[in-house]
Amino acid sequence: MPSAHAVYRILRLLTPRIPLLLLTTLTHSLNLHENAQKWDLRMSLIVTLLKSIMAGPPTSSISAQQRFSSSDPGIKGNTWVAKVTLPETTDEDVLSKVLEAVEDLKKHFAEDGQYERPTLREVGAEWTGNRAGTPLNAPEPDVSEAEKYARLMHETSSLPGMEDCTTVLYFHGGAHYMMDPATHRVSCRKLAQLTGGRVLSVRYRLAPQHPFPAALVDALVSYLSLLYPVKGSLHQPVMPEKIVFAGDSAGGNLALALIQLLLYFRRTSKTMMLFNGREIDVPLPAGVACMSAWCDITRALPSLRTNQQFDYLPPPAVDIAAPTAFSSSATASDLAPFTPHACGAWPSNPPRCDLYCEGSMLGHPLASPLAATVDMWKGTCPLFFTEGEEMLADEVAVIVRRAAQAGGRVRWEGFEGMPHCFGAMAPGSPGGRRSFNGWAGWIASVTGRRARRGSVDEDERTQSAEQYPLEGGVWIQAKTLEEKDVDLTTLTNVTDEQCEDLMRRTKETRIAVFNRWVELRSKELEKGERAKL
């Protein structure tokens, strides 16, 4: 159950916005809402509420946002959750290999890049599965985590005595600094139910306390722990052809960064490493499947502005022009996006340009996978993307085009007029069901399974499906869900050269604005100290 403080915070958010929600209901019902032709009333209310919350300056500190967004709602009903800890590896080789990749790629993408060296540590995670035929308010059984896992496995499509089911390695969204596996149990359960498999949802380290590349190290350790579990683990070794990396938003970023790391290992013949006292090989998984992936930490491409009508994400805090930042009358408060209410976590000490990484690393392909060139996608495993007509559309489209041009098998499904992560926000809507069925259908197919299709809300309404297509693109119309085939190379007009230029210029502008903020803040602090004398 949510804590009293969490309930209070929710009421504080909702109460002043009741008139806005009533107005939205009226305009939508009268067909006067700008998106009434593409959205149902529920989507209009959800997006209006979220846009209202995100439009203004931050109202709480980063630490407070983390606590609020990561609160555990509890486990009950039709969800199995077995909590595990993936032990800290005894070998530094895993960390060394990651840092070698970061350093080597810096030569081409972030020559002067700086980053904080992470440590190895244990990684928390949750095995999540479908608990069929269980009332939604049924309590969680009072049994051990091992027994929960055994019952979870009984629900999968594994052969008797074998763990050969589809296994989704899931990275939750939350802009790299919010959320938790606990907040994504509904989505993970649905994926498990529809694929007939199981999900390992990773509690990776969050920024700003643990900046890049700490989360990437945790992601790699999680994958290696699936392949090569230590003695005493709940699971047996999982074959790589049964594993799919998946994630939404920032989790999609992490999934794509992880596959880019593995592709780097293959290009440089560094797939062998020490892990928990044994030499192991690091293969590619069966695939990567993302919902509304956030691929560009710089936030540089045009759809961030052109698709605002359909989305609730805040616009980029810094425009390439950035006239306010360099005005002679600018004050530190004019650059407030850099300084939400101060806390122990943010601003960092010393301050940095971005929550996730240093400004000099914004264009690094392991931080912003959009930076990866066509050649860097050669040899990739199959990729899947589902998204709306959202602000992140251009960056996903560029990656889709590059991976396809590199010879990869790529599936893209775009939904007319839909916002960021709409499938997770409204899974019971027709579009949400279609999005989840496509996501799960592709995951099942790429791991050699048949997906269960039908309602994502009712366990009993499932049926066998034909093998889901692994490549090609479809544009899915709002409300009617009619599908039109599209060419994966023509999803955006942004060329590779334009993309590279926009990322570079935006990174440079963000760094310049940040440096200007540091300068102004320092002057204001000095002025305040002198006033005390």
Side-chain angles (χ1 to χ4, degrees):
M1 291 289 293
S3 67
H5 181 67
V7 172
Y8 169 73
R9 286 285 307 278
I10 292 171
L11 290 175
R12 242 181 77 182
L13 284 172
L14 288 178
T15 302
R17 294 176 172 86
I18 290 175
L20 176 63
L21 297 177
L22 290 174
L23 178 61
T24 300
T25 301
L26 178 62
T27 56
H28 186 95
S29 301
L30 296 175
N31 212 29
L32 299 176
H33 191 280
E34 61 179 351
N35 295 324
Q37 300 303 313
K38 298 182 179 182
W39 293 350
D40 59 15
L41 176 58
R42 173 169 47 181
M43 188 61 69
S44 291
L45 291 171
I46 290 173
V47 175
T48 297
L49 176 62
L50 292 175
K51 186 174 286 190
S52 172
I53 293 171
M54 296 185 178
T59 58
S60 60
S61 69
I62 292 296
S63 296
Q65 292 175 49
Q66 288 179 324
R67 289 192 298 271
F68 180 68
S69 68
S70 302
S71 58
D72 191 334
I75 304 166
K76 61 181 181 179
N78 56 359
T79 304
W80 282 116
V81 172
K83 298 178 181 179
V84 295
T85 299
L86 309 175
E88 176 184 332
T89 177
T90 56
D91 299 292
E92 285 281 326
D93 199 32
V94 172
L95 177 59
S96 296
K97 288 291 195 299
V98 174
L99 298 184
E100 284 177 21
V102 172
E103 287 291 332
D104 197 15
L105 291 169
K106 269 176 53 179
K107 299 173 186 176
H108 306 284
F109 297 95
E111 190 172 355
D112 60 344
Q114 302 293 318
Y115 60 92
E116 184 177 311
R117 178 188 173 93
T119 58
L120 289 170
R121 51 147 248 187
E122 62 184 25
V123 180
E126 294 185 355
W127 281 110
T128 308
N130 183 52
R131 189 180 172 199
T134 305
L136 293 178
N137 61 349
E140 181 185 28
D142 185 16
V143 296
S144 68
E145 302 300 322
E147 178 61 23
K148 293 173 191 173
Y149 178 76
R151 297 187 189 184
L152 180 157
M153 286 301 300
H154 184 70
E155 304 265 4
T156 71
S157 56
S158 294
L159 295 173
M162 297 179 63
E163 292 193 6
D164 66 339
C165 63
T166 296
T167 301
V168 179
L169 182 61
Y170 197 87
F171 305 109
H172 65 82
H176 290 299
Y177 76 97
M178 294 187 294
M179 305 296 183
D180 181 84
T183 62
H184 282 63
R185 288 174 186 148
V186 172
S187 293
C188 290
R189 185 204 70 83
K190 288 179 172 64
L191 286 178
Q193 181 227 332
L194 292 172
T195 61
R198 59 186 174 174
V199 177
L200 182 65
S201 185
V202 181
R203 186 167 284 111
Y204 58 87
R205 281 173 282 187
L206 298 177
Q209 296 92 333
H210 303 285
F212 171 86
L216 183 60
V217 173
D218 292 348
L220 178 60
V221 168
S222 302
Y223 180 46
L224 298 182
S225 297
L226 282 179
L227 298 169
Y228 307 103
V230 298
K231 184 177 180 180
S233 299
L234 296 184
H235 68 282
Q236 298 299 311
V238 186
M239 296 178 290
E241 57 267 28
K242 297 298 180 184
I243 299 173
V244 171
F245 301 163
D248 63 284
S249 193
N253 172 297
L254 191 52
L256 293 168
L258 180 56
I259 203 64
Q260 271 298 319
L261 178 65
L262 301 190
L263 289 171
Y264 170 84
F265 290 157
R266 293 172 71 86
R267 286 196 307 273
T268 57
S269 302
K270 296 178 180 178
T271 60
M272 302 298 295
M273 64 183 66
L274 290 175
F275 182 65
N276 290 324
R278 55 188 289 203
E279 188 173 45
I280 56 115
D281 180 52
V282 186
L284 294 180
V288 178
C290 302
M291 173 183 282
S292 295
W294 182 23
C295 309
D296 175 26
I297 305 300
T298 70
R299 305 198 75 199
L301 298 196
S303 61
L304 286 164
R305 296 161 183 84
T306 59
N307 288 0
Q308 286 188 38
Q309 174 185 345
F310 305 117
D311 217 337
Y312 55 86
L313 295 177
V318 174
D319 201 317
I320 289 177
T324 303
F326 301 103
S327 166
S328 59
S329 61
T331 66
S333 61
D334 291 325
L335 307 182
F338 290 112
T339 55
H341 299 269
C343 61
W346 191 257
S348 57
N349 186 21
R352 64 173 180 269
C353 178
D354 188 85
L355 284 165
Y356 186 54
C357 64
E358 296 288 349
S360 57
M361 296 295 280
L362 288 168
H364 194 290
L366 298 183
S368 290
L370 178 62
T373 62
V374 172
D375 285 345
M376 293 173 68
W377 287 106
K378 289 181 178 177
T380 184
C381 60
L383 306 175
F384 174 89
F385 299 88
T386 180
E387 63 173 350
E389 196 172 353
E390 58 185 273
M391 293 167 66
L392 307 185
D394 277 340
E395 51 204 71
V396 171
V398 171
I399 285 184
V400 166
R401 181 181 67 217
R402 289 175 176 169
Q405 290 173 339
R409 304 185 73 180
V410 185
R411 177 73 178 175
W412 176 85
E413 297 184 354
F415 290 76
E416 181 187 20
M418 292 296 106
H420 184 65
C421 288
F422 74 96
M425 291 192 307
S429 67
R433 287 196 294 269
R434 171 63 184 83
S435 178
F436 259 98
N437 279 333
W439 198 9
W442 188 90
I443 290 172
S445 289
V446 83
T447 55
R449 294 287 178 179
R450 301 272 181 172
R452 301 168 179 175
R453 297 188 67 182
S455 169
V456 297
D457 294 317
E458 299 177 30
D459 293 329
E460 304 306 320
R461 291 181 56 192
T462 59
Q463 60 186 27
S464 297
E466 297 300 320
Q467 196 76 2
Y468 203 82
L470 294 182
E471 52 193 318
V474 290
W475 180 249
I476 300 166
Q477 293 184 3
K479 293 189 175 181
T480 67
L481 300 186
E482 293 181 9
E483 299 183 12
K484 177 184 177 182
D485 292 339
V486 295
D487 184 343
L488 295 180
T489 64
T490 61
L491 299 179
T492 178
N493 293 324
V494 179
T495 66
D496 286 349
E497 293 75 17
Q498 290 171 331
C499 178
E500 183 178 335
D501 180 62
L502 286 168
M503 289 186 72
R504 177 186 58 78
R505 290 166 57 203
T506 303
K507 182 184 83 169
E508 291 172 353
T509 301
R510 287 188 60 182
I511 292 172
V513 172
F514 171 72
N515 289 338
R516 176 66 168 156
W517 169 78
V518 171
E519 176 189 349
L520 293 172
R521 183 168 177 258
S522 177
K523 289 181 178 179
E524 291 180 5
L525 289 175
E526 289 177 5
K527 184 177 180 181
E529 288 298 319
R530 286 197 301 269
K532 294 178 182 179
L533 298 177

